[in-house]
Amino acid sequence: MFEVLILLFDATLRVATPLVLAAMAGMFSERSGIVDIGLEGKMLGAAFAAAAVATTTGSAWLGLGAGILASLTLSSLHAYACVTHNGNQVVSGMAINIVVAGLTPTLGFAWFKLGGRTPALNGDERFTSITLPFADALADVPIIGHIYSELISGHNIIVYMAAISVPIVAYVLYRTRFGLRVRAVGENPSAVDTAGISVELMRYKALAVTGFLCGIAGSYLSTAHGAGFIRDMTAGKGYLALAALIFGKWKPVPTLLACLLFAFTDALQARLQGVEIPVIGVIPVQFIQALPYILTVLLLAGFVGKAHPPKAIGQPYIKEK
């Protein structure tokens, strides 16, 4: 039983990684007052760019750089539409999702002739697992050694990036001048403007951070968690990250816990497929696969409580003349 739990939590960490990175990315965008429903599209674009460059150059790190660059480009487009031209933020985000969902398999088919996929990644083209110091030596130590060697050690570097991203995001948002200004822009842009700070520039900076983190999240899917790009491989993770952000009430630690809950449900459904449960029997695969999404709806509909989003979220700022 203990080993089963360790394996379940181990899978939870791997599944939670893109959710955590995307939710932390959305934290900056939405805290600055910009709704970012386009997290899904940015992740998908980054996943394709990372896999395409990794398979072409043979370097996972160059793939990661390309994934970040693709996501930054999409984030800049969202900023240009919503900040510079005061466009509808939901429409802009959905447009990004739709365009990327169609463009990536088209480019994949044109470049690699594999039906919209990229070639399978091997060796240095992927981020492989890292064995932490003393993990092998402690593997036989009861409980603690097993937790360290199996649960904490043995993940790829992007999983550890996701883990440290939460305290970094919390520090930046609550302990730095940049974070203070981002939160202020999302709450009262007029006051920020009166203080002589450019609202537009702060929102552009916040969306740049969003693009950077989304790029890492998308690259993880194709070059670390998976071994190449396939069509629609994000499978709604951007929306789940957004739901976790709302469930976490736009705060880093509660958002992390929401991501872990969604990931645990996802890991559990993978383990339950085909397993006969006493009294209940074998649960249909379709129902098990829908568990994370059912949980999302239930949490958002009835258990999240009263959420207080940033006051200026979704409202374009038009400077008075």
Side-chain angles (χ1 to χ4, degrees):
M1 185 63 185
F2 178 71
E3 289 190 359
V4 172
L5 285 176
I6 290 292
L7 291 175
L8 193 56
F9 291 143
D10 187 57
T12 299
L13 292 181
R14 291 196 300 274
V15 175
T17 294
L19 295 180
V20 171
L21 287 167
M24 294 301 120
M27 184 87 65
F28 281 93
S29 174
E30 303 229 335
R31 279 286 193 160
S32 73
I34 302 294
V35 174
D36 201 347
I37 205 168
L39 295 175
E40 178 83 1
K42 292 171 191 171
M43 290 173 67
L44 190 61
F48 174 76
V53 171
T55 195
T56 304
T57 63
S59 169
W61 286 102
L62 288 177
L64 175 62
I68 292 172
L69 186 61
S71 180
L72 278 171
T73 303
L74 293 170
S75 204
S76 299
L77 282 174
H78 189 51
Y80 183 70
C82 301
V83 179
T84 302
H85 292 286
N86 299 319
N88 186 295
Q89 298 169 11
V90 175
V91 172
S92 173
M94 282 307 298
I96 287 174
N97 292 344
I98 293 169
V99 168
V100 174
L103 188 62
T104 46
T106 303
L107 291 176
F109 181 80
W111 290 347
F112 302 107
K113 313 295 183 189
L114 293 173
R117 295 182 291 110
T118 60
L121 302 178
N122 297 294
D124 292 339
E125 298 169 354
R126 292 188 65 201
F127 290 103
T128 54
S129 58
I130 299 170
T131 302
L132 296 179
F134 311 114
D136 292 334
L138 294 171
D140 294 330
V141 177
I143 301 179
I144 294 178
H146 206 56
I147 291 174
Y148 181 71
S149 61
E150 294 292 337
L151 184 59
I152 299 176
S153 177
H155 298 286
N156 62 70
I157 193 167
I158 299 183
V159 176
Y160 298 113
M161 285 183 185
I164 64 171
S165 71
V166 179
I168 291 175
V169 167
Y171 178 80
V172 170
L173 276 179
Y174 294 104
R175 292 287 185 272
T176 67
R177 178 181 296 179
F178 172 70
L180 175 65
R181 290 179 174 179
V182 167
R183 288 187 290 126
V185 165
E187 295 291 339
N188 193 338
S190 299
V192 174
D193 191 25
T194 304
I197 300 167
S198 171
V199 174
E200 286 192 359
L201 183 59
M202 287 308 303
R203 287 182 167 174
Y204 263 95
K205 287 180 178 178
L207 282 165
V209 178
T210 300
F212 180 81
L213 291 173
C214 261
I216 300 176
S219 301
Y220 169 80
L221 292 173
S222 60
T223 61
H225 191 59
F229 175 84
I230 58 173
R231 184 172 189 159
D232 296 328
M233 70 182 307
T234 46
K237 289 183 173 57
Y239 299 114
L240 280 179
L242 203 56
L245 187 60
I246 296 170
F247 183 55
K249 300 184 179 179
W250 294 270
K251 296 177 181 176
V253 174
T255 300
L256 167 67
L257 297 177
C259 290
L260 290 174
L261 179 61
F262 290 150
F264 178 79
T265 312
D266 204 4
L268 185 64
Q269 64 88 9
R271 185 158 288 274
L272 283 177
Q273 289 185 23
V275 176
E276 186 168 351
I277 300 174
V279 182
I280 299 174
V282 178
I283 301 175
V285 173
Q286 293 83 355
F287 178 78
I288 293 177
Q289 288 178 335
L291 273 179
Y293 305 98
I294 294 172
L295 178 67
T296 303
V297 172
L298 289 176
L299 287 175
L300 291 179
F303 298 98
V304 68
K306 191 173 182 179
H308 297 282
K311 291 178 183 175
I313 193 167
Q315 302 171 9
Y317 178 68
I318 301 172
K319 190 172 183 177
E320 294 182 4
K321 297 181 179 178

